[in-house]
């Protein structure tokens, strides 16, 4: 099976801080949270059906993050260097690089932690002319047939389609593996293909401002929980919410 | 200017219609309900084949396609934009048009930031929220049978648990820190005593199934706006915070007084979640 998985290298969302009137986003890079679920699912498909997993990332080409994907079990990574990217430019960069591979399955996660548009997998599916199934929480492939459960929050939808297909997965689909020291060592031997791709994006981000919600941040710490609750109830009454 | 609006959710369809009306122009709605009376023209669809909806929207060649923020909407938005090679902007908080230029504020970084965006028409957008209300317009109605696409729906199971946490005044949120499924009953009792409902973080709702799946609070689940939100054993991942930002007052209960949720809480009670529930129930005389 010919498997492609897209992953995004983003600033660590737990380290993004509001400082004064600025949102400081130059946090250490990491693979976006649910993208690891996409990588895990890609590797599981390979373990079941054989074949190859090609990873593709656009934008940041942080070595450590790419190594992590390889250590998890991705065979090769295409790192597309591009400065100005929106959904359109990212999709075009991906399509140009994966179309020649004729993938059976293209996996993404359902949402990145930085821009979080959920739009990229759908955009890529259309550009490749393939069916798209979003928010997959469980996946079964038998021969050419794909059966998936989509978690839509207020309902779960079971669908059937055929390969080739583009999928986006959520955090429920699996638990991403943690590579062993040996796998991390060996990942340095795996190929990383760096390519340049430049196209005029359609969406320009002028600035990112912090969304400030001023909270009181009052810590109530008492040895006696009942005392703590008394204090809290008083506060909540004066706030007019109880 | 031709504006097409679709959403699987009636709430988002209203929001989308309100934004569309603020632009003015030819307003076209797509809905399964003939009560969607906010448009000049309404395509009343008998089935909801995702590919069929995409085809219909594309065939109308809109200057602006507006949809909501539920998962089905986002999938359709991405596909329409991809097929027409249009700019796509999701989670729109506000938009100003000037000729064919659009200035947009959207939520980014899991709701921690507002990105100020410039782009041009034609475009695809999904609405995060709006204060605008749509006016009633009597539309001309055309019934449409959508073509069946390459994806067959072979089953559908509602996860609805009878409580609507999106509109609840008081929500008690449960995270992994509650320890186990048995302890959820204390959260339930507290919520009942306060006249509220229980929701949960994504791991608890979607992965562990300790609370019903339609009650997951967060970036990719539901965004709530209660006057009081009590977070039991929730550490405060950015994805969860994204769902609770609009709460008036946030109380966090955590054994760790340095838990990241403090940054986004009005009160942090340093305590075990179950002990807190029991003490609250006693004080509330329940």
């Amino acid at each position: 099976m010919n498997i492609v998985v897209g992953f995004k290298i983003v600033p660590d969302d737990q380290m993004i801080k509001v400082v004064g009137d600025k949102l400081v986003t130059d946090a250490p890079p990491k693979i976006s949270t649910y993208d690891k679920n996409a990588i895990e699912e890609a590797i599981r498909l390979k373990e079941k059906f054989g074949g190859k997993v090609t990873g593709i990332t656009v934008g940041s080409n942080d070595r450590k993050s790419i190594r992590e994907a390889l250590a998890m079990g991705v065979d090769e990574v295409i790192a597309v260097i591009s400065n100005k990217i929106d959904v359109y430019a990212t999709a075009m960069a991906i399509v140009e690089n994966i179309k020649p591979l004729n993938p059976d399955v293209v996996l993404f996660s359902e949402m990145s932690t930085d821009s979080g548009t959920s739009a990229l997998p759908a955009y890529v599916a259309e550009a490749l002319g393939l069916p798209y199934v979003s928010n997959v929480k469980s996946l079964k492939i038998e021969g050419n047939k794909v059966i998936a459960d989509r978690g839509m929050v207020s309902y779960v939808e079971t669908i059937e389609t055929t390969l080739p297909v583009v999928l986006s997965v959520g955090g429920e689909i699996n638990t991403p593996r943690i590579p062993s020291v040996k796998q991390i060592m060996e990942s340095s031997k795996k190929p990383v293909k760096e390519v340049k791709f430049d196209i005029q994006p359609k969406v320009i981000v002028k600035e990112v401002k912090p969304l400030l919600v001023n909270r009181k941040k009052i810590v109530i710490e008492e040895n006696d929980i009942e005392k703590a609750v008394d204090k809290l109830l008083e506060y909540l009454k004066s706030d007019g919410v109880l | 200017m031709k504006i097409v609006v679709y959403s699987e959710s009636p709430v988002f369809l209203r929001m989308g219609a309100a934004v569309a009306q603020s632009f003015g122009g030819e307003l076209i709605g797509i809905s399964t309900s003939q009560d969607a009376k906010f448009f000049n023209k309404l395509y009343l669809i008998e089935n909801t084949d995702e590919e069929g909806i995409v085809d219909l929207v594309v065939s109308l060649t809109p200057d602006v396609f507006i949809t909501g923020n539920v998962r089905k909407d986002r999938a359709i938005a991405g596909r329409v934009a991809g097929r027409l090679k249009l700019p796509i902007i999701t989670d729109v908080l506000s938009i100003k048009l000037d000729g064919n230029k659009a200035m947009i504020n959207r939520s980014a970084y899991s709701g921690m930031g507002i990105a100020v965006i410039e782009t041009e028409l034609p475009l695809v957008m999904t609405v995060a929220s709006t204060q605008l209300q749509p006016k009633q317009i009597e539309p001309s109605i055309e019934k449409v049978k959508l073509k069946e696409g390459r994806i067959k729906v072979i089953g559908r199971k509602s996860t609805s648990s009878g409580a609507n946490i999106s509109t609840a005044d008081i929500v008690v949120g449960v995270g992994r820190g509650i320890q186990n499924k048995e302890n959820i009953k204390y959260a339930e009792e507290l919520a009942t005593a306060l006249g509220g409902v229980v929701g949960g973080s994504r791991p608890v709702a979607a992965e562990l199934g300790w609370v019903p799946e339609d009650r997951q609070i967060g970036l990719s689940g539901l965004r709530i706006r209660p006057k009081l939100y009590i977070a039991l054993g929730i550490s405060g991942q950015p994805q969860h915070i994204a769902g609770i930002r609009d709460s008036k007052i946030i109380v966090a209960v955590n054994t760790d007084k340095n838990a990241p949720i403090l940054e986004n809480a009005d009160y942090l009670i340093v305590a075990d979640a179950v002990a807190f529930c029991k003490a609250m129930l006693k004080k509330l005389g329940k």
Side-chain angles (χ1 to χ4, degrees):
Chain A
M1 188 177 275
N2 206 344
I3 306 150
V4 168
V5 60
F7 63 95
K8 188 175 190 180
I9 299 169
V10 298
D12 185 339
D13 53 332
Q14 314 230 27
M15 313 276 272
I16 291 173
K17 293 272 178 288
V18 177
V19 179
D21 61 350
K22 291 244 180 319
L23 190 71
V24 180
T25 58
D26 59 352
K30 66 170 223 186
I31 297 174
S32 186
T33 311
Y34 300 136
D35 291 20
K36 285 194 183 168
N37 298 94
I39 293 169
E40 175 67 32
E41 203 58 24
I43 298 160
R44 288 186 189 190
L45 289 176
K46 181 191 151 175
E47 285 168 346
K48 196 166 173 187
F49 299 106
K52 181 180 176 186
V53 178
T54 307
I56 183 158
T57 185
V58 182
S60 161
N61 60 341
D62 172 61
R63 262 306 135 155
K64 201 163 140 283
S65 304
I66 290 172
R67 281 277 302 268
E68 187 179 1
L70 293 165
M72 280 175 77
V74 171
D75 297 301
E76 179 183 354
V77 168
I78 301 169
V80 185
I81 321 277
S82 187
N83 305 335
K84 287 202 258 163
I85 44 170
D86 62 349
V87 174
Y88 160 77
T90 306
M92 294 306 110
I94 289 172
V95 169
E96 163 145 321
N97 283 285
I98 69 171
K99 205 169 179 167
L101 306 175
N102 278 323
D104 299 300
V105 180
V106 183
L107 283 154
F108 293 95
S109 82
E110 65 189 29
M111 190 181 255
S112 64
T113 58
D114 58 350
S115 44
T117 67
S118 302
L120 181 74
Y123 218 102
V124 169
E126 286 293 334
L128 291 170
L130 297 180
Y132 171 54
V133 184
S134 75
N135 310 91
V136 174
K137 57 186 292 191
S138 76
L139 176 66
K140 227 175 33 217
I141 298 180
E142 292 160 353
N144 207 18
K145 195 161 73 169
V146 178
I147 295 176
D149 281 341
R150 301 173 73 193
M152 306 305 273
V153 182
S154 58
Y155 61 95
V156 175
E157 187 177 74
T158 308
I159 63 91
E160 195 180 292
T161 187
T162 52
L163 297 177
V165 69
V166 177
L167 308 166
S168 77
V169 306
E172 295 76 40
I173 194 164
N174 57 40
T175 304
R177 68 195 65 192
I178 294 165
S180 67
V181 173
K182 184 163 165 266
Q183 286 166 318
I184 294 169
M185 300 293 283
E186 284 174 351
S187 70
S188 65
K189 299 196 202 73
K190 291 182 170 178
V192 177
K193 194 169 115 193
E194 284 197 351
V195 292
K196 279 209 160 37
F197 182 87
D198 267 313
I199 197 167
Q200 193 54 38
K202 293 176 184 280
V203 171
I204 309 291
V205 178
K206 289 282 177 199
E207 61 167 325
V208 180
K209 300 183 286 202
L211 183 59
L212 289 172
V213 182
N214 284 323
R215 296 287 172 194
K216 300 191 187 96
K217 300 181 203 172
I218 296 169
V219 176
I220 303 174
E221 194 172 14
E222 298 282 346
N223 287 333
D224 177 4
I225 180 74
E226 293 197 12
K227 256 198 197 139
V229 164
D230 278 336
K231 268 193 184 170
L232 176 70
L233 290 173
E234 247 164 71
Y235 278 127
L236 295 181
K237 282 190 183 106
S238 65
D239 290 330
V241 293
L242 274 190
Chain B
M1 185 157 82
K2 194 196 282 182
I3 305 160
V4 175
V5 185
Y6 163 81
S7 174
E8 182 187 46
S9 138
V11 175
F12 277 118
L13 188 77
R14 281 182 67 90
M15 285 188 200
V19 173
Q21 289 181 4
S22 76
F23 296 156
E26 189 191 349
L27 310 179
I28 301 169
I30 300 171
S31 175
T32 51
S33 159
Q34 52 189 9
D35 301 333
K37 297 183 172 170
F38 320 110
F39 311 101
N40 309 118
K41 172 151 197 175
L42 177 66
Y43 286 98
L44 193 60
I45 51 177
E46 295 170 23
N47 53 335
T48 53
D49 186 279
E50 213 165 285
E51 219 152 58
I53 294 170
V54 173
D55 288 347
L56 175 59
V57 175
V58 167
S59 74
L60 298 168
T61 57
D63 295 296
V64 184
F65 171 52
I66 304 177
T67 182
N69 246 350
V70 296
R71 291 179 178 184
K72 174 112 21 188
D73 292 356
R74 286 173 171 269
I76 288 169
R79 291 189 57 181
V80 170
R83 195 169 310 171
L84 296 169
K85 299 268 192 301
L86 297 182
I88 174 158
I89 306 92
T90 61
D91 304 282
V92 172
L93 301 165
S94 70
I95 173 164
K96 273 212 275 296
L97 296 185
D98 178 9
N100 76 335
K101 267 205 174 0
M103 274 73 68
I104 297 172
N105 284 355
R106 74 173 292 258
S107 134
Y109 292 100
S110 307
M112 278 181 285
I114 294 176
V116 182
I117 299 236
E118 260 185 28
T119 186
E120 286 185 352
L121 300 181
L123 62 83
V124 172
M125 60 179 276
T126 78
V127 181
S129 66
T130 177
Q131 299 302 317
L132 299 169
Q133 290 293 335
K135 295 192 305 283
Q136 289 271 322
I137 302 172
E138 203 57 48
S140 67
I141 294 179
E142 185 177 328
K143 284 190 178 160
V144 184
K145 191 155 177 44
L146 298 171
K147 82 164 223 246
E148 303 277 328
R150 294 165 291 181
I151 294 155
K152 272 201 227 34
V153 177
I154 55 174
R156 186 182 154 129
K157 197 170 84 233
S158 169
T159 55
S160 172
S161 54
N164 189 347
I165 62 165
S166 309
T167 55
D169 258 352
I170 294 181
V171 176
V172 177
V174 181
R176 280 180 195 275
I178 197 106
Q179 309 282 355
N180 56 52
K181 192 169 180 170
E182 287 64 54
N183 287 339
I184 301 290
K185 67 171 184 287
Y186 299 106
E188 291 278 4
E189 284 171 16
L190 175 60
T192 306
L194 293 167
V197 290
V198 167
S201 66
R202 180 166 179 155
V204 162
E207 291 167 40
L208 300 166
W210 293 354
V211 304
E213 198 169 331
D214 68 335
R215 300 204 202 173
Q216 57 170 305
I217 301 164
L219 184 67
S220 59
L222 298 166
R223 307 194 190 180
I224 59 172
R225 35 176 23 112
K227 55 181 195 194
L228 174 61
Y229 178 62
I230 301 178
L232 301 174
I234 290 177
S235 63
Q237 297 275 354
Q239 287 79 9
H240 184 74
I241 303 299
I244 63 171
R245 283 180 171 274
D246 296 332
S247 310
K248 185 178 169 202
I249 295 287
I250 295 176
V251 174
V253 182
N254 205 298
T255 48
D256 174 8
K257 69 170 171 205
N258 299 314
I261 198 161
L262 176 61
E263 280 304 306
N264 288 286
D266 294 292
Y267 308 103
L268 175 75
I269 313 276
V270 186
D272 167 72
V274 173
F276 169 82
C277 290
K278 287 178 177 167
M280 279 286 278
L281 288 162
K282 191 172 160 186
K283 292 285 171 194
L284 295 164
K286 305 281 173 178

